[in-house]
Amino acid sequence: MSRQSLTKAHAKITELSWEPTFATPATRFGTDYTFEKAPKKDPLKQIMRSYFPMEEEKDNRVYGAMDGAIRGNMFRQVQQRWLEWQKLFLSIIPFPEISAARAMPMAIDAVPNPEIHNGLAVQMIDEVRHSTIQMNLKRLYMNNYIDPAGFDMTEKAFANNYAGTIGRQFGEGFITGDAITAANIYLTVVAETAFTNTLFVAMPDEAAANGDYLLPTVFHSVQSDESRHISNGYSILLMALADERNRPLLERDLRYAWWNNHCVVDAAIGTFIEYGTKDRRKDRESYAEMWRRWIYDDYYRSYLLPLEKYGLTIPHDLVEEAWNRITTKGYVHEVARFFATGWPVNYWRIDAMTDKDFEWFEEKYPGWYSKYGKWWENYNRLAYPGKNKPIAFEEVGYQYPHRCWTCMVPALIREDMVTEKVDDQWRTYCSETCYWTDAVAFRGEYDGRPTPNMGRLTGFREWETLHHNKDLADIVQDLGYVRDDGKTLIGQPHLDLDPKKMWTLDDVRGNTFMSPNVLLNEMSDAEREAHIAAYKANGTASTHPAA
Amino acid sequence: MTETTQTKQRSFPSIEFTDSEAGALEFPSSQSRSYNYYKPAKLRATMYEDVTVDVQPDPDRHLSQGWIYGFGNGPGGYPKEWTAAKSSNWHAFLDPNEEWNQTIYRNNSAVVRQVDLGLQNAKRARAYDAWNPAWLKFVERNLGAWMHAENGLALHVFTSIQRSGPTNMINTAVAVNAAHKMRFAQDLALFNLDLSEAHVPFDGSAHKEVWQSAPEWQPTREVVERLTAVGDWCELLFATNIVFEQLVGSLFRTELVMQIAARNGDYITPTIVGTGEHDYDRDLSYSRNLFRLLTRDAEFGETNKVLFGEWLATWVPRCLDAAHALQPIWSQPAEKSVTFADSLDAAKQKFRSVLEDLGLDTPKELDQ
């Protein structure tokens, strides 16, 4: 279809909307934003007549590549270190995708611009595509990769796992609370515009370097839909900016959304890229270098900074602090170590790091070895059952961390941990911004104005609370993370599939798991203060989850 | 002197053969190659089930920490209280059309090609030149008005519902329904554009006034607008796909346009409207499955039937009013091969059959 006829067709389609006079659409999902003064911004034009064949062609390429991968025995050359992490990633990501579809009517309800409704509804269909195409990729992995355990229980594991819950914010955040906060700022303006770059472009590059060219095939196809979504988000953002009353809310939401996306996405994708790869070429970009390119330059400098011309205060401090956490505070390395500490309650296996890995980390992150090297050597030493407990229950100078109440990634940069009594409960936070998110932003009043539509933090937010004071073997069994012989764990701290080297329920029995938050709330004021001081000092005190 | 430029040494990852194929080793779970967290409807899981079931988690199934975000005035996620209908197991619903990524694009692309080919052929054959003025006016006004209804249902009924259903299977089926409606509405609009450029007496903008003001269409517009105002997602789906589509949608599309277009020298309109009919056939199919599940629910079946009876009492009179108001358009074409009474009888008969299938009593208004 020519550009001229597309423009004409699009103009015709806009005639389909009308001003209702008998009844107006129900407002199921409210917003505290106002669009009374909003100019009508027209997003990227898309009509169904060209949309369906375009997507069908993209699909055909994806499924052709999938057939080719099977015929070409791709799994002969896939690195298990890499694909194991996909058990976690691909258990998480279809939910955010389908949540994005579910978020679209929230934006439609909130924004009185029929011209944008069409684009949002098309995005809804895209997101159904993304969710199911990713589920299908995972199914292919399950059918063709050497170790299907973990893929085979994927959606259950996602729903009951500590890491799945971290990832679930990246979906629930799209569909809950203030419609604009959720479906526009958090989902489109930040998650899709900024962080899909690392999710759907940087990470698939790493997959290819590890012998897996299907992840890039699927995710680049997904990413090719994102430009339309970004356009939808930007149109709504500009409409919101037209009303001065929205400015404090926009600034609040940019701070929350930026920081939460950083906490969640950088934790996960950073770990997959840095600790899931076998590609240790020195000129291969580190996650920090990728982040600099994709997030700092492409998003912050090219997208966020220009918003200042509209008088919007953008969260420079939080962008810089995210960069600081990644480059100097070891955020990704801490997360990787935390995931590896928790291996018995994982549904994927985590490979040990070798000298070659150490060398690469030291090159990319000077000082890495002195901070993390010893721990990974211990991880390697304690990898097999028989003579020792799982590493979380051995004395290796690592204190099991407190969970951040807001982002649910633990407070791993220990000196930054904030502890406050909120809603009559002692809670820990990974940072001042996560504390602010819970105590200030997600409330019914903000900056002296009522914000009844803002969401709330709910649920059993500390995963460990659910399993407090239970035997580790019982927890693993309750979670269902056991292989089909009824005793061997799905998660393993190594990649050796020799059954004699794999941990069983009997090997982990006798270790009692304690919730740091439950214990914190049981402490006297003096005990708690001492505990927090020790934790913040460097977290190397000898309190680990063993009773 | 020739200057030699040094090319940067290329860097690339090396391939390593890892023998990570299925079957390379035997160990616990090495043969566990099916999703084991749900029970498929038949012995072997379908592709549709594998890519759809449990992607939207549920605290009643595996979601151990519950929903971690809530609304300012209530719980987050997909509360079952967002409808008055009740089910002892919402997850039992499966879309009989088994819609997922590939089917959505394959099916709709096939329709796009069919419509596109039809329109191209019509232009080449100058098919519109042969239409009589009364038929041109009929299409200009009535098909033009109807496309608004389709678009309104797409954006403010089906797109809206798919945020609220308690399972991924329900919401995905409804999302595909929204895609159908949006495509169909746009196809009608672009057909309208073709006609307005075809050098025949056709006013491509008349549809707006007809939809907004023509007396025969106002009750239809009123029902569509009232539908969009419904907060209960299940009532919205019931009122739209079971009641409105039968008594107004099918009445107009199946019992009028599809019956009379050819007699008026028009072979194009039925090919386009026929795609909408095909869509509705599929969409009715999933809707029947869902509502049948609810009326046959061992625990809540009877209370659901009472509830659906109340919904019928609300929506049947409104839709019948809309249907009756449309009666004048049956007289507009030059060739009047069906009467309004016959068309309405046929639509009512099909509606009775749907209700019977769902185990619901026929509302008294239908016999009046």
Side-chain angles (χ1 to χ4, degrees), chain A residues 365-404:
Chain A
Y365 302 95
W368 181 92
Y369 181 79
S370 66
K371 200 160 181 197
Y372 307 104
K374 193 73 191 162
W375 189 90
W376 281 102
E377 284 166 0
N378 279 320
Y379 182 81
N380 211 358
R381 178 174 63 80
L382 301 168
Y384 300 106
K387 294 178 182 165
N388 49 266
K389 300 172 187 174
I391 190 168
F393 297 88
E394 291 283 355
E395 186 49 74
V396 291
Y398 183 79
Q399 181 185 2
Y400 190 85
H402 281 283
R403 187 73 62 168
C404 176

Side-chain angles (χ1 to χ4, degrees), chain B residues 13-307:
Chain B
S14 53
I15 286 180
E16 186 186 341
F17 286 98
T18 57
D19 198 15
S20 299
E21 285 181 282
L25 288 173
E26 275 188 31
F27 53 88
S29 282
S30 59
Q31 299 301 316
S32 179
R33 300 193 185 276
S34 58
Y35 291 150
N36 58 25
Y37 48 88
Y38 75 92
K39 192 173 182 306
K42 295 180 181 168
L43 285 176
R44 186 175 176 175
T46 62
M47 168 68 88
Y48 159 73
E49 288 173 300
D50 271 354
V51 301
T52 313
V53 176
D54 280 330
V55 174
Q56 175 181 312
D58 184 341
D60 287 347
R61 285 175 65 79
H62 312 301
L63 192 61
S64 58
Q65 289 177 256
W67 295 106
I68 51 181
Y69 286 108
F71 287 96
N73 60 357
Y78 298 84
K80 294 174 179 64
E81 295 70 34
W82 282 359
T83 176
K86 291 193 170 8
S87 170
S88 48
N89 180 16
W90 286 105
H91 294 266
F93 169 77
L94 294 175
D95 178 3
N97 304 316
E98 304 200 332
E99 295 280 12
W100 70 291
N101 174 42
Q102 273 199 311
T103 62
I104 296 171
Y105 295 103
R106 276 182 184 163
N107 294 340
N108 283 284
S109 294
V111 171
V112 165
R113 279 188 278 275
Q114 176 186 325
V115 169
D116 198 40
L117 201 61
L119 290 174
Q120 281 182 40
N121 287 336
K123 270 187 196 169
R124 196 175 301 121
R126 298 196 311 279
Y128 310 126
D129 293 359
W131 288 11
N132 62 61
W135 183 249
L136 274 167
K137 188 61 83 185
F138 179 90
V139 172
E140 173 189 289
R141 291 179 61 83
N142 302 315
L143 209 57
W146 181 252
M147 66 194 189
H148 292 274
E150 297 282 351
N151 196 58
L153 297 179
L155 294 177
H156 300 293
V157 171
F158 295 109
T159 300
S160 175
I161 290 173
Q162 60 92 48
R163 167 62 186 89
S164 302
T167 74
N168 200 36
M169 291 76 80
I170 296 171
N171 290 331
T172 297
V174 180
V176 176
N177 197 156
H180 287 157
K181 287 289 178 196
M182 195 157 48
R183 194 214 67 243
F184 182 46
Q186 292 189 4
D187 279 344
L188 293 177
L190 297 176
F191 179 37
N192 177 289
L193 181 62
D194 267 15
L195 281 162
S196 59
E197 292 176 342
H199 306 294
V200 290
F202 185 91
D203 179 357
S205 63
H207 64 91
K208 289 183 272 188
E209 177 65 17
V210 176
W211 178 246
Q212 202 73 36
S213 309
E216 66 272 26
W217 281 103
Q218 295 320 292
T220 298
R221 182 164 69 83
E222 180 173 352
V223 181
V224 171
E225 290 181 12
R226 289 199 185 284
L227 283 169
T228 68
V230 173
D232 180 316
W233 69 265
C234 199
E235 180 183 356
L236 187 49
L237 187 63
F238 184 88
T240 307
N241 268 355
I242 302 297
V243 186
F244 177 80
E245 281 283 33
Q246 287 290 319
L247 293 179
V248 184
S250 293
L251 174 72
F252 176 72
R253 293 188 309 252
T254 318
E255 307 302 340
L256 179 61
V257 177
M258 296 299 283
Q259 305 303 324
I260 63 169
R263 302 281 181 95
N264 282 278
D266 175 5
Y267 60 86
I268 305 303
T269 302
T271 66
I272 300 173
V273 173
T275 66
E277 290 293 278
H278 176 68
D279 291 340
Y280 176 57
D281 196 44
R282 293 172 74 82
D283 296 327
L284 177 62
S285 175
Y286 87 75
S287 305
R288 284 164 94 128
N289 268 23
L290 176 62
F291 292 112
R292 208 158 33 201
L293 193 76
L294 295 173
T295 55
R296 293 179 188 177
D297 189 289
E299 193 180 349
F300 299 110
E302 290 310 311
T303 51
N304 283 334
K305 282 184 188 176
V306 172
L307 179 69

Side-chain angles (χ1 to χ4, degrees), chain A residues 74 82 86 89-90 137 141 199-200 203-204 207-208 212-220:
Chain A
M74 185 187 84
W82 175 261
Q86 293 307 312
F89 174 63
L90 285 174
L137 173 66
Y141 286 159
L199 275 165
F200 297 164
M203 195 179 71
D212 172 12
Y213 56 78
L214 283 186
L215 196 86
T217 301
V218 170
F219 280 85
H220 288 176

Side-chain angles (χ1 to χ4, degrees), chain A residues 8 12 15 18 22 28 48 51 76 78 102 139 142 152 165 168 175 281 456 458 460-461 484, chain B residues 11 18 29 32-33 50 65-68 70 105 160 162-163 168 186 192 197 204 207 225 230:
Chain A
K8 243 198 279 186
K12 189 74 196 176
E15 293 177 10
W18 75 94
F22 296 104
R28 296 173 183 83
M48 308 310 278
Y51 169 74
R76 276 191 310 201
V78 160
R102 310 305 180 225
R139 189 173 182 262
M142 175 176 70
D152 58 1
T165 313
R168 208 165 70 246
I175 56 168
R281 287 169 298 141
R456 302 287 185 273
T458 61
F460 300 99
R461 297 189 73 82
D484 61 8
Chain B
S11 170
T18 57
S29 282
S32 179
R33 300 193 185 276
D50 271 354
Q65 289 177 256
W67 295 106
I68 51 181
Y105 295 103
S160 175
Q162 60 92 48
R163 167 62 186 89
N168 200 36
Q186 292 189 4
N192 177 289
E197 292 176 342
H207 64 91
E225 290 181 12
V230 173

Side-chain angles (χ1 to χ4, degrees), chain A residues 106 139 150 194 209 252 281 306 373 387 413 417 473 532:
Chain A
M106 299 174 68
R139 189 173 182 262
R252 176 198 67 185
R281 287 169 298 141
K387 294 178 182 165
I413 300 166
M417 185 172 79
I532 293 166

Side-chain angles (χ1 to χ4, degrees), chain A residues 43 46 48 51-52 100-108 113-129 228-229 232 236, chain B residues 105 151 153-156 158-160 162 174-176 178-183 186:
Chain A
Q46 184 70 61
M48 308 310 278
Y51 169 74
F52 283 121
R102 310 305 180 225
M104 291 303 106
M106 299 174 68
I108 289 174
N113 178 3
E115 291 177 3
I116 208 171
H117 293 168
N118 185 47
L120 293 168
V122 175
Q123 180 172 347
M124 170 190 73
I125 311 165
D126 283 341
E127 307 290 7
V128 175
R129 170 178 192 258
R228 278 184 286 108
H229 306 176
N232 286 336
I236 296 175
Chain B
Y105 295 103
N151 196 58
L153 297 179
L155 294 177
H156 300 293
F158 295 109
T159 300
S160 175
Q162 60 92 48
V174 180
V176 176
H180 287 157
K181 287 289 178 196
M182 195 157 48
R183 194 214 67 243
Q186 292 189 4

